[in-house]
Amino acid sequence: MDILRFITAGSVDDGKSTLIGRLLYDSKSIMIDQLEAIGRQSKNREDGEIDLALLTDGLRAEREQGITIDVAYKYFSTPKRKFIIADAPGHIQYTRNMVTGASNADLAIILIDARNGVAEQTRRHSIIASLLKIPHVVVAINKMDLVDYSHDVYNNIVIDYAEVARNLGLKDVTYIPISALNGDNIVEKSDKYPWYEGESLLHILENTEVQNDINLTDGRFPVQYVIRPQTEDLHDYRGYAGKIISGVYRKGDKVVVQPSGIESSIAAIEKDGKEIDEAFAPQSVVLHLKDDIDISRGDTIVPTGIQPNVTNELEVLLCWMDNKPLVPGNKYLLQINSRTVRSSIREIQYKLNVNTLQKEEAPDKAGLNDVVKAVIKTAAPIAWDAYAALRSNGGAILIDETSCVTVGACMIQ
Amino acid sequence: MSKYQLDYLDQLESESIHILREVAGQFERPALLFSGGKDSITLVHLALKAFRPGKFPFPLVHIDTGHNFPEALRFRDELAAQIGEKLIVRHVGDTIKLKNLTEQKGKFASRNALQTYTLLDTIEEFGFDACIGGARRDEEKARAKERIFSVRDEFGQWNPKLQRPELWNTYNGKIHKGENVRIFPISNWTELDVWNYIRRHNIELPPIYYAHEREVLEFQGQLVATSAFIQLEPTDKISVKKVRYRTVGDMTCTAAVESNAATIDDIISEIIATKTSERGETRIDDRVSEAAMEDRKKNGYF
């Protein structure tokens, strides 16, 4: 049993919350008391029917307004897999929330209302999925019951979306006709779609291969914390604690500490207080090096071989997440894994239209939810990989030092 | 499974250890809130994995309402002593006296709301900038929205509309003086994940998690242990039943479930078969309203 993290993209009108409610309900992940609670809530509404969407709207404001404002995390399991759903809002004013939810997703479910076909927001959600490099996409064409289960309607949407996917370079795309409201093709295949040869949505979610998405070739180990007991019997103990974000580490491997470039080799690997010969992503371990060198939080231990880039200038696609605009010249803290450095935005090169993928003229400043291409200068070098090549070492956040808030998400190019 | 593949419990464990080490790396004075319940016991177990052979970079802190199960308190003290880590206990009863707080009245008068005062005072007393807790997102729908690093203002208040975006596995622990961060390393675990983890690693728990005979009061379909903290009336239906606890909170607001589960395997079978959620079955305090948890969190509760 492993874990699949997925995001659902779509607005309430597309039936996103209903879909999640349906998955939870049909996989028996909803308990009686929770159902009774939404039953009571539904009665407060005029239509009277049990509204599965109420399961996911966690905040009072969301329930009152019937919209999703923030990312909610939901959990269910089947004997095959544990699922973590990031339920994110779909409207353009919540792009930053969708970016947040997408950042950890293995898979995105893009919901399309069969009556509307590929719409502006379908493109936007797909663009975000491609910017955040979500490896797998399932296009769920919903509300098929409202178009008489028409194979033609379905086919035309598939043809339209294939064009979007091609333009964005989305590689693993699966299509499925559903009715979230009726539960068609969600857990079981429905007989109302004799022309549909694929599997049910749950079957797709259970069987999408995600292990191959972990890079086991290029080792990266950001040091989070140095364990130094300094007791009598452990006087010389110096262990580098961290999580392997990619690759495999073996005892005896020659390594380079970035960004300093100092070389050493692995004297021991510890996990749960026991020595092991090798460890791999995404394990949390303790590394010991042969040489007594100065290593602290923010350094990355890398096996010799393909090294990360070590520079103090970055080209990034930047999603701006703050109400105060981004103005070139502004200074922020840049945090990538365990390393935090001062940085300044050198220039904005262009703005990306998230509905069309058109590059638009560089604005004077970037506003909330804007995605721009920018150049960032850092006060000290950082060890990074291109986000497209190694997601776990190519994403950075920007923090406003005066407000302490996370104001931007950078995908390093 | 390939040689280089982690199963779900190992993945969750690694994620939680990573979060604990981020706390150690980013904060000056963190604390781990430890009640002697299964979730915080799991946290302690994870911290051992994250920091041994070194000491924890934080003390264990318990806000004792005075209404706790004696079995949980005994377990709390024994575990802290066994692992040789510092345990700080602060009492809600002291805060009530010192600050002239008014206690709830009624049959199940609870100190649940008052413990927030003691928690905030303790945070101030020791200057804690981060408090690690065992809350999970599957427990309750307000919690489903909360970040792993959840910033609280100087009054401990959670503002659900002003949460920081939390991307990848990068946690922003920057705060202003006076603020603190609540940190939830097992956010992504479900109740069943915790139990399966406890089984896999043979983690010891207080005995009240296993079926035992206890005198209980039947109240609106829930079984509440009789104790000095509950006002009994002559009409109350009291009986001795075989029960276990699914969660361990205050004796005034935690209900038991009828059970014959003597082993962890039995418990896991019962949880898989149950049709009621953890908090719904065992917490009297969440039943007040649809937004009970959201409101308490806004006021500084965990």
Side-chain angles (χ1 to χ4, degrees):
Chain A
M1 189 163 151
D2 62 355
I3 301 179
L4 180 88
R5 293 169 200 255
F6 69 92
I7 181 172
T8 45
S11 66
V12 173
D13 317 329
D14 294 330
K16 174 182 60 90
S17 296
T18 308
L19 173 69
I20 295 174
R22 179 56 72 182
L23 274 170
L24 297 174
Y25 184 76
D26 288 354
S27 65
K28 306 197 170 44
S29 308
I30 301 176
M31 301 296 178
I32 285 180
D33 55 312
Q34 294 167 324
L35 265 186
E36 283 170 353
I38 64 165
R40 281 197 299 276
Q41 282 279 309
S42 302
K43 275 180 206 127
N44 297 341
R45 295 193 176 190
E46 283 177 5
D47 49 19
E49 285 208 9
I50 283 213
D51 185 351
L52 290 174
L54 286 170
L55 278 169
T56 58
D57 294 331
L59 303 175
R60 182 185 281 141
E62 294 177 321
R63 287 192 293 278
E64 283 167 1
Q65 297 169 41
I67 55 165
T68 311
I69 295 169
D70 204 343
V71 186
Y73 294 90
K74 292 280 159 191
Y75 304 84
F76 71 101
S77 293
T78 66
K80 265 195 124 147
R81 244 183 194 160
K82 173 186 169 83
F83 297 94
I84 302 178
I85 313 174
D87 175 21
H91 292 254
I92 191 155
Q93 68 265 37
Y94 300 116
T95 296
R96 67 170 195 156
N97 305 71
M98 187 179 159
V99 167
T100 301
S103 70
N104 281 322
D106 302 307
L107 181 148
I109 298 180
I110 306 264
L111 267 168
I112 296 178
D113 185 328
R115 297 169 302 177
N116 303 334
V118 174
E120 179 178 277
Q121 73 162 6
T122 313
R123 290 198 175 83
R124 183 171 69 249
H125 298 155
S126 305
I127 286 169
I128 292 169
S130 79
L131 288 177
L132 275 296
K133 301 290 172 206
I134 300 177
H136 313 278
V137 172
V138 173
V139 179
I141 297 162
N142 191 23
K143 304 195 184 180
M144 288 299 296
D145 52 319
L146 300 182
V147 294
D148 297 327
Y149 309 100
S150 161
H151 193 192
D152 284 346
V153 169
Y154 174 80
N155 271 342
N156 287 334
I157 294 174
V158 170
I159 291 166
D160 286 352
Y161 193 86
E163 178 72 22
V164 174
R166 196 161 40 246
N167 289 338
L168 294 175
L170 298 174
K171 289 198 182 64
D172 181 24
V173 182
T174 310
Y175 300 90
I176 180 169
I178 62 167
S179 162
L181 196 63
N182 300 333
D184 295 353
N185 292 338
I186 305 294
V187 170
E188 303 287 342
K189 280 192 72 176
S190 161
D191 54 16
K192 294 184 196 117
Y193 309 74
W195 42 266
Y196 173 63
E197 289 169 354
E199 301 291 346
S200 74
L201 179 62
L202 185 62
H203 186 275
I204 294 168
L205 295 175
E206 280 184 319
N207 291 286
T208 298
E209 180 60 63
V210 292
Q211 171 62 19
N212 297 337
D213 300 333
I214 298 175
N215 177 325
L216 291 172
T217 317
D218 308 303
R220 305 285 183 262
F221 181 85
V223 175
Q224 293 180 265
Y225 182 74
V226 183
I227 298 176
R228 292 189 64 199
Q230 291 177 303
T231 53
E232 223 161 275
D233 49 331
L234 292 167
H235 192 264
D236 295 323
Y237 185 101
R238 195 180 168 84
Y240 303 109
K243 188 169 89 172
I244 300 172
I245 58 172
S246 60
V248 180
Y249 284 72
R250 295 182 184 85
K251 188 176 171 176
D253 276 358
K254 291 202 178 337
V255 294
V256 185
V257 181
Q258 298 292 8
S260 69
I262 297 171
E263 294 179 17
S264 185
S265 63
I266 298 176
I269 305 173
E270 265 182 287
K271 190 178 172 294
D272 310 341
K274 289 185 207 79
E275 274 208 37
I276 52 176
D277 288 335
E278 63 176 3
F280 54 91
Q283 285 180 319
S284 284
V285 296
V286 177
L287 297 185
H288 295 262
L289 298 191
K290 200 151 174 255
D291 305 283
D292 195 10
I293 45 181
D294 178 26
I295 297 178
S296 53
R297 176 178 166 82
D299 290 332
T300 305
I301 299 175
V302 185
T304 49
I306 296 176
Q307 295 297 301
N309 304 287
V310 180
T311 65
N312 53 10
E313 193 167 279
L314 306 168
E315 287 195 10
V316 302
L317 272 177
L318 170 62
C319 175
W320 193 248
M321 301 181 150
D322 199 37
N323 286 315
K324 286 183 285 178
L326 163 72
V327 183
N330 281 8
K331 292 183 173 57
Y332 301 97
L333 293 174
L334 180 140
Q335 186 177 351
I336 174 168
N337 289 313
S338 61
R339 187 168 180 81
T340 304
V341 294
R342 289 214 155 65
S343 71
S344 110
I345 311 296
R346 269 290 180 76
E347 65 166 310
I348 298 175
Q349 294 180 327
Y350 59 81
K351 178 179 164 179
L352 196 69
N353 183 321
V354 291
N355 291 328
T356 62
L357 208 63
Q358 294 290 312
K359 291 174 188 173
E360 294 172 356
E361 201 182 327
D364 296 337
K365 48 191 175 187
L368 179 65
N369 295 313
D370 281 352
V371 176
V372 296
K373 171 87 182 295
V375 179
I376 297 179
K377 178 128 171 55
T378 58
I382 63 167
W384 56 273
D385 292 274
Y387 188 76
L390 188 59
R391 212 175 162 197
S392 56
N393 197 36
I397 60 169
L398 294 178
I399 301 165
D400 180 333
E401 241 182 312
T402 60
S403 68
C404 298
V405 168
T406 304
V407 292
C410 307
M411 280 71 71
I412 306 176
Q413 301 298 294
Chain B
M1 236 163 68
S2 106
K3 184 179 165 196
Y4 297 122
Q5 190 168 355
L6 293 184
D7 83 341
Y8 76 110
L9 284 178
D10 288 337
Q11 283 186 49
L12 291 173
E13 176 190 77
S14 181
E15 176 181 276
S16 302
I17 292 173
H18 175 255
I19 294 163
L20 286 168
R21 287 170 171 171
E22 280 304 289
V23 178
Q26 292 197 38
F27 294 93
E28 301 281 326
R29 312 191 80 151
L32 188 150
L33 296 186
F34 178 59
S35 64
K38 70 176 193 314
D39 296 315
S40 63
I41 291 169
T42 301
L43 281 184
V44 168
H45 185 86
L46 291 163
L48 289 168
K49 292 194 170 212
F51 301 112
R52 284 294 185 255
K55 293 282 258 186
F56 289 0
F58 38 70
L60 309 177
V61 172
H62 185 221
I63 305 302
D64 185 346
T65 58
H67 291 173
N68 291 98
F69 287 90
E71 295 92 335
L73 295 183
R74 207 174 307 128
F75 188 92
R76 173 199 75 187
D77 294 342
E78 284 169 11
L79 183 62
Q82 184 202 324
I83 60 175
E85 295 290 345
K86 187 176 176 189
L87 172 69
I88 296 168
V89 180
R90 287 294 177 268
H91 300 273
V92 175
D94 294 342
T95 317
I96 292 172
K97 275 189 222 139
L98 194 71
K99 306 223 156 154
N100 290 321
L101 302 180
T102 306
E103 291 215 54
Q104 246 184 30
K105 294 197 174 58
K107 192 172 188 64
F108 299 108
S110 164
R111 286 179 168 176
N112 197 291
L114 296 181
Q115 65 182 328
T116 301
Y117 290 87
T118 315
L119 174 62
L120 296 181
D121 286 352
T122 310
I123 287 171
E124 202 175 304
E125 178 186 349
F126 293 95
F128 293 135
D129 49 6
C131 294
I132 303 162
R136 308 185 319 266
R137 285 174 177 152
D138 79 318
E139 282 179 70
E140 208 283 331
K141 54 189 176 181
R143 283 194 164 154
K145 298 259 162 177
E146 193 164 13
R147 303 294 185 259
I148 289 174
F149 274 38
S150 179
V151 179
R152 303 300 179 91
D153 67 14
E154 58 182 313
F155 301 102
Q157 299 177 108
W158 179 52
N159 187 341
K161 289 188 185 162
L162 278 181
Q163 298 199 84
R164 296 176 179 175
E166 197 165 73
L167 294 104
W168 301 293
N169 301 303
T170 310
Y171 304 102
N172 171 6
K174 292 277 176 301
I175 45 171
H176 294 110
K177 206 171 162 43
E179 292 175 337
N180 71 87
V181 185
R182 307 284 169 88
I183 288 157
F184 304 112
I186 58 168
S187 285
N188 285 326
W189 301 41
T190 62
E191 180 191 19
L192 195 56
D193 295 336
V194 172
W195 282 108
N196 279 320
Y197 187 79
I198 288 169
R199 169 163 67 181
R200 176 177 293 182
H201 295 280
N202 242 329
I203 299 171
E204 207 185 318
L205 294 179
I208 55 174
Y209 280 106
Y210 297 94
H212 57 285
E213 296 212 326
R214 188 180 280 272
E215 191 181 83
V216 290
L217 158 73
E218 279 180 61
F219 183 78
Q220 294 181 357
Q222 291 189 312
L223 302 176
V224 187
T226 56
S227 70
F229 314 122
I230 290 171
Q231 291 179 21
L232 293 178
E233 289 147 70
T235 50
D236 282 340
K237 205 177 148 199
I238 292 167
S239 56
V240 173
K241 286 196 184 321
K242 200 155 188 200
V243 296
R244 66 177 168 82
Y245 282 89
R246 215 170 144 187
T247 64
V248 171
D250 278 4
M251 296 190 78
T252 53
C253 61
T254 312
V257 297
E258 279 199 272
S259 167
N260 284 312
T263 66
I264 192 141
D265 287 337
D266 298 343
I267 293 175
I268 287 173
S269 311
E270 284 189 7
I271 288 170
I272 290 171
T274 188
K275 293 190 166 56
T276 319
S277 76
E278 187 183 60
R279 291 196 83 87
E281 186 168 54
T282 66
R283 290 301 174 100
I284 301 171
D285 44 334
D286 279 349
R287 294 190 148 190
V288 183
S289 83
E290 192 61 18
M293 176 65 87
E294 182 179 343
D295 292 342
R296 275 185 292 151
K297 274 182 171 294
K298 283 179 179 165
N299 290 327
Y301 187 76
F302 243 83

